[in-house]
């Protein structure tokens, strides 16, 4: 029986943190099916079967709120571009029509397949991103879908984003284990019935980002020519738990990145030049959006310090597209500067011996297509000319 539990947080959650705290509540307990925070600050949890002890649940919720919100400073939101007022012709939610036309199908929570129209629309955006990459002399690269556990550990990923990791494993090399699996493996409501000890220790994960692979490839060496620009597209995996409810948050999505490695000025100048070129393109296609400062979704213990740091040093800006049907915005891309974090941790050195700076421009391809369809609808004859002309329907 589903149950509702209400908790009044001991620490008041400031408005700017409501979304961040709410999304972290999904990870508090497996019994939580959904979490929301009402306007008076009360937390409401929908429990799956009410098995969790209410004291321990409340204690964990209070801990999340305290760690994220206690003494949190209101960040200065810096808006670099504001084109949310652009008139767009469509204002409905395209999800059900995408589903009924076979343009979108849900394989499992957070896992989607796309039909020919969405695929071609994504290819139109991709051909622009490849053009943009050539403006920076960014050479194409191909990266794996798996990512090294050893290397992710080296860049502190486990500490910063443990909640959203997706692990890759395989059966242990043991005849009895493999034979037993072959004979008995079956999927039950809670998942495969395989005992956890049948699986090997984790050596690899499913990659959460594209640019990390480039930094790993450059690790422990001087950077050739002292600077480098590259581009790649890849599947990325972020387990977003109960937040995986629509196309807005997927477990498996694709990202196109243009990546800069070199001295700080080189990275910052290119990040800014890319932003200006992207702004021209988004104006040409008439997208309603804004670009504003943002932070990464660090886990509870790291959240306050790391997000304040990102804000203070202007490390992250997001392209947030308007979703007219719900009057909210959705991040479809980001402009990032990691300072010399990867250079230091991975020992990527510049000719003067200092660690390299890195930065990237990242686009979420499914989200961009989704936001575009939210603003312009599914009838390609009504799309803005630059997209319509490039679209081979
Ligand atoms: P980030 O590295 O977090 O700035 O991500 C870059 C872009 O990837 C975001 O702006 C989104 O467009 C996209 N993205 C990130 N997480 C997800 C997700 N769970 N589902 C779909 N797209 C995502
Ligand atoms: Zn990146």
């Amino acid at each position: 029986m589903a149950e509702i539990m209400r908790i009044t947080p001991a620490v008041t959650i400031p408005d700017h943190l409501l979304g961040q705290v709410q999304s972290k509540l999904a990870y508090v307990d497996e019994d939580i099916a959904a979490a929301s925070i009402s306007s008076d600050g009360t937390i409401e949890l929908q429990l799956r079967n009410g098995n969790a002890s209410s004291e321990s649940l409340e204690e964990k919720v209070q801990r999340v709120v305290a760690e994220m919100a206690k003494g949190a400073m209101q960040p200065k939101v810096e808006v670099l571009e504001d084109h949310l007022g652009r008139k767009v012709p469509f204002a409905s939610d395209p999800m059900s029509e995408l589903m009924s036309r076979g343009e979108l199908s849900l394989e499992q929570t957070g896992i989607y397949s796309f039909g020919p129209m969405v695929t071609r629309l994504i290819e139109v955006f991709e051909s622009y991103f490849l053009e943009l990459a050539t403006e920076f002399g960014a050479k194409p690269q191909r990266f794996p879908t798996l990512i090294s556990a050893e290397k992710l550990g080296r860049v502190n990923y486990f500490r910063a984003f443990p909640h959203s990791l997706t692990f890759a494993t395989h059966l242990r090399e043991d005849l009895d284990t493999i034979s037993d699996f072959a004979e008995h493996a079956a999927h039950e409501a809670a998942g495969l019935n395989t005992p956890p000890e049948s699986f090997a220790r984790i050596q690899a994960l499913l990659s959460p980002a594209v640019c990390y692979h480039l930094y790993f490839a450059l690790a422990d060496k001087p950077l050739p020519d002292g600077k480098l620009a590259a581009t790649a597209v890849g599947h990325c995996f972020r387990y977003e738990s109960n937040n995986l409810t629509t196309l807005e948050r997927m477990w498996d999505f694709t990202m196109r990145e243009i990546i800069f490695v070199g001295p700080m000025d080189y990275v910052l100048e290119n990040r800014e030049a890319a932003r200006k070129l992207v702004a021209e393109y988004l104006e040409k296609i008439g997208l309603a959006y804004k670009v504003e400062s943002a932070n990464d979704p660090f886990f509870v213990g790291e959240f306050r310090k790391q997000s304040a740091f990102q804000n203070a040093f202007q490390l992250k800006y997001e392209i947030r597209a308007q979703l007219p049907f719900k009057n909210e915005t959705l991040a479809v891309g980001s402009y990032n500067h990691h300072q010399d974090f990867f250079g230091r941790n991975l020992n990527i050195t510049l000719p003067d011996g200092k660690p390299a700076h890195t930065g990237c421009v990242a686009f979420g391809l499914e989200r961009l297509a989704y936001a575009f369809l939210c603003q312009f609808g599914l009838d390609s004859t009504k799309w803005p000319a630059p997209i319509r002309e490039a679209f081979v329907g």
Side-chain angles (χ1 to χ4, degrees):
M1 256 282 286
E3 237 182 67
I4 302 284
M5 182 173 173
R6 289 192 181 80
I7 298 174
T8 306
V11 172
T12 308
I13 309 168
D15 280 357
H16 74 273
L17 286 180
L18 286 173
Q20 296 278 357
V21 172
Q22 190 261 335
S23 70
K24 292 299 176 312
L25 292 174
Y27 303 96
V28 164
D29 195 286
E30 286 183 319
D31 206 27
I32 297 177
S36 59
I37 307 177
S38 61
S39 52
D40 69 355
T42 308
I43 292 176
E44 190 172 294
L45 305 177
Q46 261 180 55
L47 304 181
R48 282 205 173 83
N49 36 34
N51 285 342
S53 114
S54 57
E55 292 94 272
S56 91
L57 239 177
E58 162 140 21
E59 185 277 321
K60 288 195 276 183
V61 167
Q62 295 287 8
R63 190 153 27 111
V64 167
V65 176
E67 288 197 37
M68 292 181 75
K70 205 171 175 182
M73 305 273 270
Q74 164 95 36
K76 192 175 94 280
V77 179
E78 196 186 348
V79 179
L80 301 184
E81 298 169 39
D82 187 347
H83 303 293
L84 288 177
R86 265 183 198 149
K87 290 262 173 302
V88 293
F90 197 75
S92 309
D93 180 355
M95 278 293 262
S96 58
E97 201 181 339
L98 283 170
M99 294 268 189
S100 64
R101 283 203 200 179
E103 282 295 338
L104 180 66
S105 49
L106 179 68
E107 184 165 324
Q108 195 180 303
T109 306
I111 309 177
Y112 293 88
S113 294
F114 294 92
M117 183 271 282
V118 180
T119 303
R120 288 175 187 141
L121 178 60
I122 287 178
E123 279 167 7
V124 172
F125 292 126
E126 272 285 75
S127 62
Y128 165 71
F129 295 135
L130 288 173
E131 238 174 70
L132 177 69
T134 57
E135 294 280 330
F136 297 95
K139 305 242 172 63
Q141 302 223 4
R142 287 173 63 79
F143 297 131
T145 298
L146 293 176
I147 195 162
S148 154
E150 184 255 324
K151 298 228 165 41
L152 271 187
R154 241 178 112 177
V155 296
N156 253 336
Y157 203 90
F158 302 144
R159 221 178 202 325
F161 306 105
H163 54 296
S164 58
L165 292 168
T166 309
F167 301 91
T169 182
H170 51 83
L171 293 172
R172 288 194 300 116
E173 288 91 338
D174 174 76
L175 185 63
D176 295 332
T177 302
I178 300 174
S179 305
D180 196 62
F181 179 87
E183 210 172 315
H184 300 295
H187 182 265
E188 298 169 347
L192 278 184
N193 60 353
T194 317
E197 59 276 15
S198 302
F199 295 107
R201 291 278 291 271
I202 307 289
Q203 296 291 354
L205 290 89
L206 293 171
S207 192
V210 171
C211 59
Y212 282 57
H213 295 285
L214 178 66
Y215 312 144
F216 295 163
L218 298 171
D220 300 317
K221 296 193 276 276
L223 184 66
D225 306 324
K227 59 185 186 252
L228 184 149
T231 188
V233 63
H235 275 263
C236 296
F237 301 82
R238 295 185 188 171
Y239 181 68
E240 309 234 9
S241 182
N242 299 332
N243 307 312
L244 292 166
T245 47
T246 67
L247 256 196
E248 289 171 39
R249 286 187 192 281
M250 303 164 71
W251 189 359
D252 173 349
F253 60 98
T254 46
M255 216 192 269
R256 161 66 63 181
E257 291 202 32
I258 303 173
I259 311 157
F260 304 107
V261 187
M264 182 170 84
D265 290 354
Y266 169 79
V267 171
L268 283 176
E269 281 161 19
N270 280 302
R271 181 177 75 154
E272 183 61 7
R275 184 177 69 78
K276 296 217 164 105
L277 288 173
V278 172
E280 283 172 21
Y281 176 71
L282 297 181
E283 180 174 4
K284 237 175 32 192
I285 68 173
L287 196 80
Y289 76 99
K290 63 180 172 178
V291 172
E292 69 178 21
S293 52
N295 58 261
D296 285 311
F298 299 103
F299 197 56
V300 177
E302 291 283 293
F303 180 83
R304 229 170 7 166
K305 200 177 78 204
Q306 298 258 38
S307 56
F309 187 80
Q310 278 190 320
N311 190 257
F313 290 94
Q314 306 176 315
L315 300 186
K316 187 174 191 82
Y317 294 94
E318 277 178 343
I319 307 171
R320 302 196 64 91
Q322 179 75 6
L323 303 182
F325 77 93
K326 59 199 300 205
N327 199 22
E328 283 179 14
T329 61
L330 177 68
V332 297
S334 63
Y335 303 105
N336 304 287
H337 176 209
H338 315 113
Q339 297 179 316
D340 61 356
F341 176 81
F342 291 103
R344 267 186 291 114
N345 285 279
L346 294 169
N347 190 24
I348 308 169
T349 45
L350 296 174
D352 63 5
K354 295 212 178 91
H357 277 239
T358 62
C360 67
V361 180
F363 300 96
L365 299 181
E366 296 83 359
R367 277 199 190 173
L368 183 58
Y370 172 68
F372 177 87
L373 295 169
C374 284
Q375 295 188 14
F376 296 96
L378 273 61
D379 179 355
S380 61
T381 61
K382 302 212 169 108
W383 289 351
I387 300 285
R388 202 177 57 233
E389 284 154 17
F391 181 83
V392 190

